[in-house]
Tab-separated table of all heavy atoms in Angstrom:
chain	number	residue	atom	x	y	z
A	299	THR	N	-4.042	18.136	-5.226
A	299	THR	CA	-4.138	17.136	-6.296
A	299	THR	C	-4.494	17.867	-7.552
A	299	THR	O	-5.491	18.582	-7.595
A	299	THR	CB	-5.201	16.060	-5.980
A	299	THR	OG1	-4.852	15.335	-4.805
A	299	THR	CG2	-5.370	15.090	-7.155
A	300	LEU	N	-3.641	17.742	-8.568
A	300	LEU	CA	-3.892	18.364	-9.847
A	300	LEU	C	-4.668	17.403	-10.753
A	300	LEU	O	-4.177	16.338	-11.085
A	300	LEU	CB	-2.551	18.770	-10.506
A	300	LEU	CG	-1.620	19.615	-9.668
A	300	LEU	CD1	-0.341	19.924	-10.411
A	300	LEU	CD2	-2.297	20.876	-9.151
A	301	LEU	N	-5.859	17.759	-11.105
A	301	LEU	CA	-6.760	16.887	-11.845
A	301	LEU	C	-6.784	17.284	-13.309
A	301	LEU	O	-6.996	18.461	-13.659
A	301	LEU	CB	-8.157	16.976	-11.274
A	301	LEU	CG	-9.272	16.187	-11.953
A	301	LEU	CD1	-8.992	14.666	-11.942
A	301	LEU	CD2	-10.645	16.491	-11.311
A	302	PHE	N	-6.683	16.260	-14.164
A	302	PHE	CA	-6.714	16.442	-15.618
A	302	PHE	C	-7.766	15.539	-16.209
A	302	PHE	O	-7.877	14.385	-15.823
A	302	PHE	CB	-5.334	16.142	-16.230
A	302	PHE	CG	-4.263	17.018	-15.715
A	302	PHE	CD1	-3.589	16.749	-14.526
A	302	PHE	CD2	-3.908	18.180	-16.407
A	302	PHE	CE1	-2.611	17.568	-14.014
A	302	PHE	CE2	-2.918	19.025	-15.906
A	302	PHE	CZ	-2.286	18.710	-14.697
A	303	GLY	N	-8.527	16.038	-17.156
A	303	GLY	CA	-9.600	15.295	-17.779
A	303	GLY	C	-9.171	14.434	-18.924
A	303	GLY	O	-7.979	14.375	-19.274
A	304	ARG	N	-10.138	13.736	-19.474
A	304	ARG	CA	-9.869	12.908	-20.666
A	304	ARG	C	-9.340	13.732	-21.810
A	304	ARG	O	-9.811	14.847	-22.033
A	304	ARG	CB	-11.183	12.236	-21.145
A	304	ARG	CG	-11.727	11.208	-20.212
A	304	ARG	CD	-12.903	10.532	-20.841
A	304	ARG	NE	-12.402	9.628	-21.847
A	304	ARG	CZ	-12.711	8.358	-21.938
A	304	ARG	NH1	-13.576	7.834	-21.111
A	304	ARG	NH2	-12.165	7.602	-22.883
A	305	GLU	N	-8.427	13.165	-22.536
A	305	GLU	CA	-7.897	13.858	-23.707
A	305	GLU	C	-8.968	14.166	-24.718
A	305	GLU	O	-8.942	15.235	-25.357
A	305	GLU	CB	-6.817	13.019	-24.404
A	305	GLU	CG	-5.591	12.787	-23.539
A	305	GLU	CD	-5.623	11.480	-22.683
A	305	GLU	OE1	-6.706	10.978	-22.379
A	305	GLU	OE2	-4.550	11.024	-22.336
A	306	SER	N	-9.946	13.301	-24.841
A	306	SER	CA	-10.977	13.463	-25.870
A	306	SER	C	-12.155	14.312	-25.427
A	306	SER	O	-12.866	14.874	-26.292
A	306	SER	CB	-11.522	12.090	-26.294
A	306	SER	OG	-12.101	11.430	-25.160
A	307	ALA	N	-12.383	14.461	-24.122
A	307	ALA	CA	-13.619	15.134	-23.705
A	307	ALA	C	-13.499	15.955	-22.424
A	307	ALA	O	-14.533	16.537	-21.971
A	307	ALA	CB	-14.715	14.070	-23.491
A	308	GLY	N	-12.359	16.042	-21.793
A	308	GLY	CA	-12.243	16.783	-20.535
A	308	GLY	C	-12.989	16.063	-19.415
A	308	GLY	O	-12.887	14.825	-19.324
A	309	VAL	N	-13.646	16.824	-18.555
A	309	VAL	CA	-14.413	16.227	-17.473
A	309	VAL	C	-15.866	16.708	-17.543
A	309	VAL	O	-16.138	17.800	-18.043
A	309	VAL	CB	-13.811	16.577	-16.100
A	309	VAL	CG1	-12.412	16.033	-15.944
A	309	VAL	CG2	-13.858	18.042	-15.816
A	310	PRO	N	-16.774	15.902	-17.038
A	310	PRO	CA	-18.206	16.350	-17.018
A	310	PRO	C	-18.460	17.438	-15.977
A	310	PRO	O	-17.596	17.706	-15.107
A	310	PRO	CB	-18.964	15.068	-16.678
A	310	PRO	CG	-17.966	14.165	-16.060
A	310	PRO	CD	-16.619	14.552	-16.551
A	311	ASP	N	-19.612	18.083	-16.060
A	311	ASP	CA	-19.942	19.198	-15.178
A	311	ASP	C	-19.880	18.811	-13.705
A	311	ASP	O	-19.410	19.648	-12.901
A	311	ASP	CB	-21.346	19.708	-15.497
A	311	ASP	CG	-21.383	20.446	-16.849
A	311	ASP	OD1	-20.324	20.875	-17.330
A	311	ASP	OD2	-22.505	20.589	-17.370
A	312	HIS	N	-20.310	17.579	-13.312
A	312	HIS	CA	-20.292	17.232	-11.892
A	312	HIS	C	-18.842	17.197	-11.347
A	312	HIS	O	-18.635	17.401	-10.160
A	312	HIS	CB	-21.052	15.958	-11.617
A	312	HIS	CG	-20.373	14.717	-12.065
A	312	HIS	ND1	-20.480	14.212	-13.398
A	312	HIS	CD2	-19.564	13.840	-11.416
A	312	HIS	CE1	-19.776	13.108	-13.471
A	312	HIS	NE2	-19.175	12.871	-12.319
A	313	VAL	N	-17.875	16.926	-12.195
A	313	VAL	CA	-16.458	16.942	-11.754
A	313	VAL	C	-16.007	18.411	-11.601
A	313	VAL	O	-15.373	18.740	-10.616
A	313	VAL	CB	-15.575	16.176	-12.737
A	313	VAL	CG1	-14.102	16.333	-12.414
A	313	VAL	CG2	-15.957	14.689	-12.734
A	314	HIS	N	-16.376	19.282	-12.536
A	314	HIS	CA	-16.060	20.707	-12.436
A	314	HIS	C	-16.607	21.240	-11.120
A	314	HIS	O	-15.889	22.007	-10.427
A	314	HIS	CB	-16.738	21.490	-13.579
A	314	HIS	CG	-15.889	21.642	-14.797
A	314	HIS	ND1	-14.986	22.698	-14.955
A	314	HIS	CD2	-15.738	20.865	-15.905
A	314	HIS	CE1	-14.366	22.566	-16.088
A	314	HIS	NE2	-14.783	21.494	-16.676
A	315	GLU	N	-17.811	20.865	-10.765
A	315	GLU	CA	-18.457	21.386	-9.541
A	315	GLU	C	-17.710	20.983	-8.269
A	315	GLU	O	-17.771	21.685	-7.268
A	315	GLU	CB	-19.899	20.915	-9.490
A	315	GLU	CG	-20.747	21.519	-10.572
A	315	GLU	CD	-22.090	20.845	-10.777
A	315	GLU	OE1	-22.432	19.950	-9.976
A	315	GLU	OE2	-22.753	21.163	-11.746
A	316	ARG	N	-17.041	19.851	-8.275
A	316	ARG	CA	-16.331	19.380	-7.093
A	316	ARG	C	-14.945	19.952	-6.920
A	316	ARG	O	-14.327	19.866	-5.865
A	316	ARG	CB	-16.230	17.839	-7.120
A	316	ARG	CG	-17.519	17.120	-6.979
A	316	ARG	CD	-18.252	17.438	-5.669
A	316	ARG	NE	-17.516	17.114	-4.468
A	316	ARG	CZ	-17.679	16.046	-3.760
A	316	ARG	NH1	-18.566	15.147	-4.083
A	316	ARG	NH2	-16.948	15.823	-2.665
A	317	ALA	N	-14.410	20.635	-7.959
A	317	ALA	CA	-13.044	21.168	-7.867
A	317	ALA	C	-12.998	22.373	-6.921
A	317	ALA	O	-13.928	23.183	-6.877
A	317	ALA	CB	-12.598	21.590	-9.262
A	318	ASP	N	-11.963	22.425	-6.131
A	318	ASP	CA	-11.730	23.560	-5.231
A	318	ASP	C	-11.094	24.725	-5.955
A	318	ASP	O	-11.175	25.874	-5.497
A	318	ASP	CB	-10.768	23.108	-4.073
A	318	ASP	CG	-11.386	21.979	-3.279
A	318	ASP	OD1	-12.519	22.136	-2.747
A	318	ASP	OD2	-10.759	20.890	-3.224
A	319	GLY	N	-10.442	24.441	-7.058
A	319	GLY	CA	-9.847	25.480	-7.892
A	319	GLY	C	-9.854	25.024	-9.319
A	319	GLY	O	-9.779	23.854	-9.636
A	320	ARG	N	-9.957	26.001	-10.239
A	320	ARG	CA	-9.939	25.703	-11.684
A	320	ARG	C	-8.883	26.624	-12.326
A	320	ARG	O	-8.965	27.824	-12.139
A	320	ARG	CB	-11.294	25.924	-12.295
A	320	ARG	CG	-12.330	24.945	-11.853
A	320	ARG	CD	-13.750	25.374	-12.299
A	320	ARG	NE	-14.766	24.737	-11.526
A	320	ARG	CZ	-15.120	25.046	-10.306
A	320	ARG	NH1	-14.585	26.067	-9.676
A	320	ARG	NH2	-16.082	24.384	-9.671
A	321	ILE	N	-8.007	26.035	-13.074
A	321	ILE	CA	-6.916	26.790	-13.689
A	321	ILE	C	-6.782	26.455	-15.179
A	321	ILE	O	-7.186	25.390	-15.606
A	321	ILE	CB	-5.564	26.559	-12.959
A	321	ILE	CG1	-5.171	25.073	-12.896
A	321	ILE	CG2	-5.600	27.218	-11.564
A	321	ILE	CD1	-3.903	24.792	-12.217
Side-chain angles (χ1 to χ4, degrees):
T299 297
L300 306 180
L301 176 63
F302 299 84
R304 291 186 76 128
E305 295 93 336
S306 62
V309 298
D311 289 341
H312 73 274
V313 173
H314 269 271
E315 293 166 7
R316 292 301 300 261
D318 300 301
R320 291 169 200 78
I321 55 178

